[in-house]
Amino acid sequence: MSDIKPKGAPEAGGENSADDKDWAAAKAFYDNLNKTSKKPRPPKPQHAVTIAVSSRTLFNMVKERKIYEEEGLEKYVEYQEQHEDEPLTPGAAFPFVKALMTVNSRLRELYPGSEELFDIVLMTNNHAQVGVRLINSINQYDLTIERFCMTGGKSPIGYLKAYLTNLYLSKDSEKVQEAIEAGIAAATMFTPEKEVQLCDTQLRVAFDGDAVLFSDESEKIVKEHGLDSFFEHEKAFENKPLAQGPLKCFLEALGKLQRKFYEKNERMNCPIRTYLVTARSAASSGARVLKTLRSWGLEIDEALFLAGAPKGPLLQKIRPHIFFDDQMFHIEGAQELGTIAAHVPYGIGQKYRKGKLIEETPKK
């Protein structure tokens, strides 16, 4: 499954031989540990679907963040050390991470010893002194997170490709923007305004279409020329696939894992379910979207064309572990009704707010 990795992933042969030897030694170490521990060892990175999460998405660190912003770094580190035996409470990405672990459990049952699994990496600019509290919190909730990247105040973005990251989730919109510009699927996570009970046997992931799975080429026409021109354009180019957007590679990675269940005749009992939730109209502009997915060899389990209607009520029925959208007013509408939403800062939609062009403040 190494073909699901971003560009820059090591190819077979060459320096991989040394990596394989290192991995064999690490595997032997974990196998020896597993004689006394039931915790599964992490998969080999070249074959895994790697999800990098920041500490502030995995855990609720609002109080700690406030100390950092108001009292400075030294007080922040001191507070974390003094409270390192107190587990942090779950954050916005916590249910998503638990759902990834559920999928891994099912995959291990069907494919013992397989490396084609989700691998969760904690990617944080926290200092190493804070690591003890993070480790204690992860162990408290029995999370399978063995790989950490703590950069001591520096941006961790440069490490994402080294960790072969398929998806990066953060609370920091600037880091997310930086990751997308580096060609890595990424989104800024937001905590819902109310808690909703989520499915604990199936990972549910919902995607917007334009500027998320697909490029923003069609959205540009809507913004610049209006809906009528957009409908005409989509009809004229119905058989021309859309260019890929920043999250296409993550949908592709999910699809590869889904097919492993299908191969075992588990399609109807698959623990991964994907949704397309788009403001497009089905009759006027839906065909091009579905034909694009088909041309990519990708499936989507459910496609919801809302023709401009609010997404929040539909998402409330789906109850996804995460919903990706490029427009903040959709994110806010989802939040209000209890959906865990993640903003993808990509495309022309970032220049608009509820259909109106945002006036940019001139740079000094």
Side-chain angles (χ1 to χ4, degrees), residues 129-153:
Q129 297 95 310
V130 179
V132 174
R133 191 179 189 196
L134 293 172
I135 290 169
N136 288 344
S137 299
I138 284 168
N139 289 335
Q140 171 69 27
Y141 297 110
D142 198 27
L143 302 178
T144 309
I145 302 178
E146 298 294 343
R147 301 191 216 283
F148 277 41
C149 180
M150 293 179 282
T151 61

PDB file of all heavy atoms in Angstrom, residues 129-153:
ATOM      1  N   GLN A 129       9.513  18.476  27.855  1.00  0.00           N
ATOM      2  CA  GLN A 129       9.121  18.405  29.274  1.00  0.00           C
ATOM      3  C   GLN A 129       7.628  18.163  29.440  1.00  0.00           C
ATOM      4  O   GLN A 129       7.182  17.623  30.456  1.00  0.00           O
ATOM      5  CB  GLN A 129       9.497  19.711  30.008  1.00  0.00           C
ATOM      6  CG  GLN A 129      10.991  19.993  30.038  1.00  0.00           C
ATOM      7  CD  GLN A 129      11.416  20.908  28.900  1.00  0.00           C
ATOM      8  OE1 GLN A 129      11.081  20.652  27.742  1.00  0.00           O
ATOM      9  NE2 GLN A 129      12.149  21.967  29.220  1.00  0.00           N
ATOM     10  N   VAL A 130       6.845  18.575  28.436  1.00  0.00           N
ATOM     11  CA  VAL A 130       5.393  18.389  28.491  1.00  0.00           C
ATOM     12  C   VAL A 130       5.011  16.971  28.071  1.00  0.00           C
ATOM     13  O   VAL A 130       3.900  16.511  28.311  1.00  0.00           O
ATOM     14  CB  VAL A 130       4.692  19.432  27.588  1.00  0.00           C
ATOM     15  CG1 VAL A 130       3.177  19.274  27.598  1.00  0.00           C
ATOM     16  CG2 VAL A 130       5.073  20.848  28.038  1.00  0.00           C
ATOM     17  N   GLY A 131       5.969  16.266  27.476  1.00  0.00           N
ATOM     18  CA  GLY A 131       5.694  14.941  26.931  1.00  0.00           C
ATOM     19  C   GLY A 131       5.190  13.942  27.948  1.00  0.00           C
ATOM     20  O   GLY A 131       4.380  13.064  27.623  1.00  0.00           O
ATOM     21  N   VAL A 132       5.626  14.048  29.184  1.00  0.00           N
ATOM     22  CA  VAL A 132       5.207  13.083  30.203  1.00  0.00           C
ATOM     23  C   VAL A 132       3.700  13.139  30.410  1.00  0.00           C
ATOM     24  O   VAL A 132       3.027  12.100  30.487  1.00  0.00           O
ATOM     25  CB  VAL A 132       5.947  13.327  31.539  1.00  0.00           C
ATOM     26  CG1 VAL A 132       5.398  12.412  32.634  1.00  0.00           C
ATOM     27  CG2 VAL A 132       7.444  13.105  31.370  1.00  0.00           C
ATOM     28  N   ARG A 133       3.150  14.359  30.480  1.00  0.00           N
ATOM     29  CA  ARG A 133       1.699  14.463  30.665  1.00  0.00           C
ATOM     30  C   ARG A 133       0.945  13.931  29.443  1.00  0.00           C
ATOM     31  O   ARG A 133      -0.096  13.287  29.589  1.00  0.00           O
ATOM     32  CB  ARG A 133       1.295  15.915  30.937  1.00  0.00           C
ATOM     33  CG  ARG A 133      -0.164  16.005  31.410  1.00  0.00           C
ATOM     34  CD  ARG A 133      -0.622  17.398  31.730  1.00  0.00           C
ATOM     35  NE  ARG A 133      -1.932  17.363  32.358  1.00  0.00           N
ATOM     36  CZ  ARG A 133      -2.739  18.408  32.484  1.00  0.00           C
ATOM     37  NH1 ARG A 133      -2.345  19.600  32.053  1.00  0.00           N
ATOM     38  NH2 ARG A 133      -3.921  18.279  33.046  1.00  0.00           N
ATOM     39  N   LEU A 134       1.468  14.186  28.264  1.00  0.00           N
ATOM     40  CA  LEU A 134       0.840  13.674  27.056  1.00  0.00           C
ATOM     41  C   LEU A 134       0.871  12.143  27.031  1.00  0.00           C
ATOM     42  O   LEU A 134      -0.133  11.496  26.716  1.00  0.00           O
ATOM     43  CB  LEU A 134       1.540  14.241  25.819  1.00  0.00           C
ATOM     44  CG  LEU A 134       1.389  15.753  25.593  1.00  0.00           C
ATOM     45  CD1 LEU A 134       2.283  16.215  24.452  1.00  0.00           C
ATOM     46  CD2 LEU A 134      -0.063  16.131  25.316  1.00  0.00           C
ATOM     47  N   ILE A 135       2.015  11.573  27.388  1.00  0.00           N
ATOM     48  CA  ILE A 135       2.138  10.107  27.426  1.00  0.00           C
ATOM     49  C   ILE A 135       1.195   9.518  28.467  1.00  0.00           C
ATOM     50  O   ILE A 135       0.495   8.526  28.207  1.00  0.00           O
ATOM     51  CB  ILE A 135       3.604   9.704  27.722  1.00  0.00           C
ATOM     52  CG1 ILE A 135       4.489  10.033  26.515  1.00  0.00           C
ATOM     53  CG2 ILE A 135       3.703   8.220  28.069  1.00  0.00           C
ATOM     54  CD1 ILE A 135       5.971   9.935  26.788  1.00  0.00           C
ATOM     55  N   ASN A 136       1.160  10.126  29.643  1.00  0.00           N
ATOM     56  CA  ASN A 136       0.268   9.627  30.700  1.00  0.00           C
ATOM     57  C   ASN A 136      -1.197   9.689  30.267  1.00  0.00           C
ATOM     58  O   ASN A 136      -1.983   8.783  30.563  1.00  0.00           O
ATOM     59  CB  ASN A 136       0.465  10.438  31.988  1.00  0.00           C
ATOM     60  CG  ASN A 136       1.781  10.127  32.669  1.00  0.00           C
ATOM     61  OD1 ASN A 136       2.416   9.113  32.375  1.00  0.00           O
ATOM     62  ND2 ASN A 136       2.207  10.987  33.582  1.00  0.00           N
ATOM     63  N   SER A 137      -1.564  10.752  29.559  1.00  0.00           N
ATOM     64  CA  SER A 137      -2.944  10.904  29.093  1.00  0.00           C
ATOM     65  C   SER A 137      -3.274   9.854  28.038  1.00  0.00           C
ATOM     66  O   SER A 137      -4.349   9.244  28.058  1.00  0.00           O
ATOM     67  CB  SER A 137      -3.162  12.308  28.523  1.00  0.00           C
ATOM     68  OG  SER A 137      -2.944  13.295  29.505  1.00  0.00           O
ATOM     69  N   ILE A 138      -2.349   9.630  27.123  1.00  0.00           N
ATOM     70  CA  ILE A 138      -2.555   8.617  26.079  1.00  0.00           C
ATOM     71  C   ILE A 138      -2.703   7.228  26.692  1.00  0.00           C
ATOM     72  O   ILE A 138      -3.577   6.439  26.309  1.00  0.00           O
ATOM     73  CB  ILE A 138      -1.389   8.665  25.063  1.00  0.00           C
ATOM     74  CG1 ILE A 138      -1.574   9.884  24.150  1.00  0.00           C
ATOM     75  CG2 ILE A 138      -1.287   7.380  24.254  1.00  0.00           C
ATOM     76  CD1 ILE A 138      -0.383  10.211  23.305  1.00  0.00           C
ATOM     77  N   ASN A 139      -1.879   6.933  27.676  1.00  0.00           N
ATOM     78  CA  ASN A 139      -1.964   5.633  28.344  1.00  0.00           C
ATOM     79  C   ASN A 139      -3.243   5.503  29.167  1.00  0.00           C
ATOM     80  O   ASN A 139      -3.838   4.420  29.256  1.00  0.00           O
ATOM     81  CB  ASN A 139      -0.738   5.404  29.226  1.00  0.00           C
ATOM     82  CG  ASN A 139       0.518   5.149  28.414  1.00  0.00           C
ATOM     83  OD1 ASN A 139       0.446   4.690  27.271  1.00  0.00           O
ATOM     84  ND2 ASN A 139       1.677   5.461  28.982  1.00  0.00           N
ATOM     85  N   GLN A 140      -3.681   6.596  29.761  1.00  0.00           N
ATOM     86  CA  GLN A 140      -4.903   6.582  30.562  1.00  0.00           C
ATOM     87  C   GLN A 140      -6.110   6.148  29.711  1.00  0.00           C
ATOM     88  O   GLN A 140      -6.960   5.391  30.165  1.00  0.00           O
ATOM     89  CB  GLN A 140      -5.159   7.972  31.149  1.00  0.00           C
ATOM     90  CG  GLN A 140      -6.513   8.152  31.822  1.00  0.00           C
ATOM     91  CD  GLN A 140      -6.649   7.354  33.106  1.00  0.00           C
ATOM     92  OE1 GLN A 140      -5.649   7.070  33.775  1.00  0.00           O
ATOM     93  NE2 GLN A 140      -7.884   6.981  33.451  1.00  0.00           N
ATOM     94  N   TYR A 141      -6.146   6.629  28.464  1.00  0.00           N
ATOM     95  CA  TYR A 141      -7.271   6.312  27.575  1.00  0.00           C
ATOM     96  C   TYR A 141      -6.979   5.097  26.682  1.00  0.00           C
ATOM     97  O   TYR A 141      -7.794   4.769  25.813  1.00  0.00           O
ATOM     98  CB  TYR A 141      -7.599   7.523  26.707  1.00  0.00           C
ATOM     99  CG  TYR A 141      -8.065   8.725  27.496  1.00  0.00           C
ATOM    100  CD1 TYR A 141      -7.262   9.862  27.613  1.00  0.00           C
ATOM    101  CD2 TYR A 141      -9.295   8.728  28.141  1.00  0.00           C
ATOM    102  CE1 TYR A 141      -7.682  10.977  28.336  1.00  0.00           C
ATOM    103  CE2 TYR A 141      -9.719   9.835  28.868  1.00  0.00           C
ATOM    104  CZ  TYR A 141      -8.914  10.951  28.963  1.00  0.00           C
ATOM    105  OH  TYR A 141      -9.340  12.050  29.687  1.00  0.00           O
ATOM    106  N   ASP A 142      -5.838   4.453  26.904  1.00  0.00           N
ATOM    107  CA  ASP A 142      -5.449   3.254  26.152  1.00  0.00           C
ATOM    108  C   ASP A 142      -5.438   3.513  24.647  1.00  0.00           C
ATOM    109  O   ASP A 142      -5.930   2.720  23.851  1.00  0.00           O
ATOM    110  CB  ASP A 142      -6.395   2.090  26.488  1.00  0.00           C
ATOM    111  CG  ASP A 142      -5.797   0.740  26.099  1.00  0.00           C
ATOM    112  OD1 ASP A 142      -4.560   0.624  26.065  1.00  0.00           O
ATOM    113  OD2 ASP A 142      -6.581  -0.198  25.815  1.00  0.00           O
ATOM    114  N   LEU A 143      -4.863   4.652  24.258  1.00  0.00           N
ATOM    115  CA  LEU A 143      -4.749   4.984  22.848  1.00  0.00           C
ATOM    116  C   LEU A 143      -3.481   4.355  22.266  1.00  0.00           C
ATOM    117  O   LEU A 143      -2.437   4.331  22.919  1.00  0.00           O
ATOM    118  CB  LEU A 143      -4.690   6.500  22.654  1.00  0.00           C
ATOM    119  CG  LEU A 143      -5.874   7.312  23.194  1.00  0.00           C
ATOM    120  CD1 LEU A 143      -5.632   8.797  22.951  1.00  0.00           C
ATOM    121  CD2 LEU A 143      -7.188   6.872  22.561  1.00  0.00           C
ATOM    122  N   THR A 144      -3.585   3.854  21.053  1.00  0.00           N
ATOM    123  CA  THR A 144      -2.421   3.254  20.397  1.00  0.00           C
ATOM    124  C   THR A 144      -1.689   4.336  19.621  1.00  0.00           C
ATOM    125  O   THR A 144      -1.840   4.481  18.404  1.00  0.00           O
ATOM    126  CB  THR A 144      -2.857   2.110  19.465  1.00  0.00           C
ATOM    127  OG1 THR A 144      -3.704   1.210  20.186  1.00  0.00           O
ATOM    128  CG2 THR A 144      -1.650   1.340  18.951  1.00  0.00           C
ATOM    129  N   ILE A 145      -0.899   5.123  20.333  1.00  0.00           N
ATOM    130  CA  ILE A 145      -0.085   6.176  19.712  1.00  0.00           C
ATOM    131  C   ILE A 145       1.337   6.003  20.238  1.00  0.00           C
ATOM    132  O   ILE A 145       1.628   6.287  21.396  1.00  0.00           O
ATOM    133  CB  ILE A 145      -0.614   7.585  20.053  1.00  0.00           C
ATOM    134  CG1 ILE A 145      -2.069   7.742  19.595  1.00  0.00           C
ATOM    135  CG2 ILE A 145       0.265   8.654  19.392  1.00  0.00           C
ATOM    136  CD1 ILE A 145      -2.691   9.079  19.936  1.00  0.00           C
ATOM    137  N   GLU A 146       2.200   5.507  19.376  1.00  0.00           N
ATOM    138  CA  GLU A 146       3.584   5.235  19.785  1.00  0.00           C
ATOM    139  C   GLU A 146       4.568   6.249  19.206  1.00  0.00           C
ATOM    140  O   GLU A 146       5.644   6.440  19.743  1.00  0.00           O
ATOM    141  CB  GLU A 146       3.984   3.817  19.351  1.00  0.00           C
ATOM    142  CG  GLU A 146       3.148   2.702  19.977  1.00  0.00           C
ATOM    143  CD  GLU A 146       3.333   2.575  21.479  1.00  0.00           C
ATOM    144  OE1 GLU A 146       4.333   3.123  22.005  1.00  0.00           O
ATOM    145  OE2 GLU A 146       2.491   1.932  22.132  1.00  0.00           O
ATOM    146  N   ARG A 147       4.201   6.888  18.098  1.00  0.00           N
ATOM    147  CA  ARG A 147       5.124   7.830  17.457  1.00  0.00           C
ATOM    148  C   ARG A 147       4.769   9.263  17.871  1.00  0.00           C
ATOM    149  O   ARG A 147       3.624   9.693  17.726  1.00  0.00           O
ATOM    150  CB  ARG A 147       5.056   7.694  15.936  1.00  0.00           C
ATOM    151  CG  ARG A 147       5.404   6.310  15.434  1.00  0.00           C
ATOM    152  CD  ARG A 147       5.586   6.318  13.923  1.00  0.00           C
ATOM    153  NE  ARG A 147       5.103   5.096  13.332  1.00  0.00           N
ATOM    154  CZ  ARG A 147       5.731   3.940  13.352  1.00  0.00           C
ATOM    155  NH1 ARG A 147       6.905   3.846  13.951  1.00  0.00           N
ATOM    156  NH2 ARG A 147       5.202   2.866  12.797  1.00  0.00           N
ATOM    157  N   PHE A 148       5.769   9.946  18.375  1.00  0.00           N
ATOM    158  CA  PHE A 148       5.615  11.340  18.808  1.00  0.00           C
ATOM    159  C   PHE A 148       6.596  12.195  18.014  1.00  0.00           C
ATOM    160  O   PHE A 148       7.680  11.752  17.656  1.00  0.00           O
ATOM    161  CB  PHE A 148       5.972  11.503  20.296  1.00  0.00           C
ATOM    162  CG  PHE A 148       4.869  11.169  21.254  1.00  0.00           C
ATOM    163  CD1 PHE A 148       4.041  10.085  21.065  1.00  0.00           C
ATOM    164  CD2 PHE A 148       4.678  11.942  22.387  1.00  0.00           C
ATOM    165  CE1 PHE A 148       3.031   9.775  21.961  1.00  0.00           C
ATOM    166  CE2 PHE A 148       3.690  11.646  23.305  1.00  0.00           C
ATOM    167  CZ  PHE A 148       2.858  10.558  23.087  1.00  0.00           C
ATOM    168  N   CYS A 149       6.213  13.455  17.796  1.00  0.00           N
ATOM    169  CA  CYS A 149       7.139  14.446  17.267  1.00  0.00           C
ATOM    170  C   CYS A 149       6.918  15.720  18.068  1.00  0.00           C
ATOM    171  O   CYS A 149       5.920  16.414  17.890  1.00  0.00           O
ATOM    172  CB  CYS A 149       6.887  14.677  15.774  1.00  0.00           C
ATOM    173  SG  CYS A 149       7.993  15.905  15.047  1.00  0.00           S
ATOM    174  N   MET A 150       7.824  16.015  19.010  1.00  0.00           N
ATOM    175  CA  MET A 150       7.724  17.208  19.863  1.00  0.00           C
ATOM    176  C   MET A 150       8.872  18.140  19.491  1.00  0.00           C
ATOM    177  O   MET A 150      10.042  17.801  19.693  1.00  0.00           O
ATOM    178  CB  MET A 150       7.788  16.800  21.341  1.00  0.00           C
ATOM    179  CG  MET A 150       6.571  16.003  21.782  1.00  0.00           C
ATOM    180  SD  MET A 150       6.619  15.471  23.518  1.00  0.00           S
ATOM    181  CE  MET A 150       7.739  14.064  23.392  1.00  0.00           C
ATOM    182  N   THR A 151       8.527  19.307  18.950  1.00  0.00           N
ATOM    183  CA  THR A 151       9.539  20.135  18.297  1.00  0.00           C
ATOM    184  C   THR A 151      10.028  21.313  19.138  1.00  0.00           C
ATOM    185  O   THR A 151      10.739  22.175  18.630  1.00  0.00           O
ATOM    186  CB  THR A 151       9.003  20.665  16.956  1.00  0.00           C
ATOM    187  OG1 THR A 151       7.840  21.475  17.206  1.00  0.00           O
ATOM    188  CG2 THR A 151       8.637  19.524  16.029  1.00  0.00           C
ATOM    189  N   GLY A 152       9.630  21.402  20.402  1.00  0.00           N
ATOM    190  CA  GLY A 152      10.177  22.422  21.290  1.00  0.00           C
ATOM    191  C   GLY A 152       9.927  23.846  20.851  1.00  0.00           C
ATOM    192  O   GLY A 152      10.833  24.687  20.881  1.00  0.00           O
ATOM    193  N   GLY A 153       8.703  24.137  20.412  1.00  0.00           N
ATOM    194  CA  GLY A 153       8.345  25.497  20.040  1.00  0.00           C
ATOM    195  C   GLY A 153       8.442  25.808  18.564  1.00  0.00           C
ATOM    196  O   GLY A 153       7.919  26.814  18.099  1.00  0.00           O
TER     197      GLY A 153
END
